[in-house]
């Protein structure tokens, strides 16, 4: 089903990269295709928000670790990939309070992805701009891995 959509998409978009670092362009192309719900070749803020709403089970625009990890397979829920990616977005929203403010993250991430400011994100923008975000996520995953002793 959709909540277990695919671990790679989950980590890459993580809300949105460890798995992606293995095969970056394929992973980002796959993630873009899954996010582009209407398959028009561009990503709208509403499409990004639609993916986030799958994670935000109670639809309060605050994503807890329980909600975030709950979309992963049980065995992966405490993995450095999940913990590190959650920690990245928890910091990314500006307050590192153990919760992800979905509205802040969507707005900030969409602004970074829409590099030409035209109000939509092309596949090229997504794959190019998300690679920088992905490097920061990978660093957070590495830190979570170190903290977990893995």
């Amino acid at each position: 089903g959709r909540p277990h959509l695919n671990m790679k998409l989950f980590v890459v978009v993580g809300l949105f990269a460890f798995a992606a670092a293995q095969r970056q362009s394929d992973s980002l192309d796959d993630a873009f295709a899954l996010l582009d719900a209407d398959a028009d070749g561009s990503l709208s803020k509403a499409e990004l928000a639609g993916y986030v709403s799958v994670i935000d089970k109670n639809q309060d625009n605050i994503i807890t670790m329980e909600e975030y990890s709950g979309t992963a397979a049980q065995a992966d829920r405490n993995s450095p990939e999940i913990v590190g990616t959650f920690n990245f977005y928890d910091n990314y929203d500006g307050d590192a309070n153990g919760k992800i403010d979905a509205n802040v993250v969507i707005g900030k991430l969409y602004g970074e992805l829409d590099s030409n400011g035209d109000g939509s994100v092309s596949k090229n923008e997504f794959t190019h701009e998300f690679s920088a975000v992905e490097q920061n996520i990978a660093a957070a995953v590495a830190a979570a891995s170190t903290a977990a002793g893995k």
Side-chain angles (χ1 to χ4, degrees), residues 93-143:
D93 74 5
D95 60 15
N97 63 351
K99 298 177 213 140
I100 298 169
D101 184 323
N103 290 332
V104 171
V105 168
I106 291 166
K108 187 174 175 181
L109 183 61
Y110 198 80
E112 289 181 25
L113 295 175
D114 183 16
S115 60
N116 67 5
D118 69 353
S120 69
V121 176
S122 69
K123 185 175 181 179
N124 186 52
E125 283 176 308
F126 181 82
T127 55
H128 182 264
E129 299 302 327
F130 198 80
S131 63
V133 175
E134 189 175 45
Q135 289 174 1
N136 293 327
I137 292 172
V141 168

Side-chain angles (χ1 to χ4, degrees), residues 33-117:
L34 287 166
L35 289 168
D36 184 16
D38 62 7
D40 68 351
S42 67
L43 184 59
S44 68
K45 193 181 279 189
E47 287 170 319
L48 184 58
Y51 175 73
V52 172
S53 73
V54 171
I55 298 169
D56 185 15
K57 296 295 183 207
N58 65 3
Q59 304 298 303
D60 65 354
N61 292 312
I62 300 295
I63 298 171
T64 63
M65 180 56 145
E66 182 179 355
E67 287 174 313
Y68 189 76
S69 66
T71 60
Q74 185 70 39
D76 294 328
R77 290 186 182 176
N78 293 318
S79 71
E81 291 81 10
I82 299 297
V83 173
T85 305
F86 179 86
N87 290 343
F88 168 79
Y89 285 106
D90 183 24
N91 285 303
Y92 190 76
D93 74 5
D95 60 15
N97 63 351
K99 298 177 213 140
I100 298 169
D101 184 323
N103 290 332
V104 171
V105 168
I106 291 166
K108 187 174 175 181
L109 183 61
Y110 198 80
E112 289 181 25
L113 295 175
D114 183 16
S115 60
N116 67 5

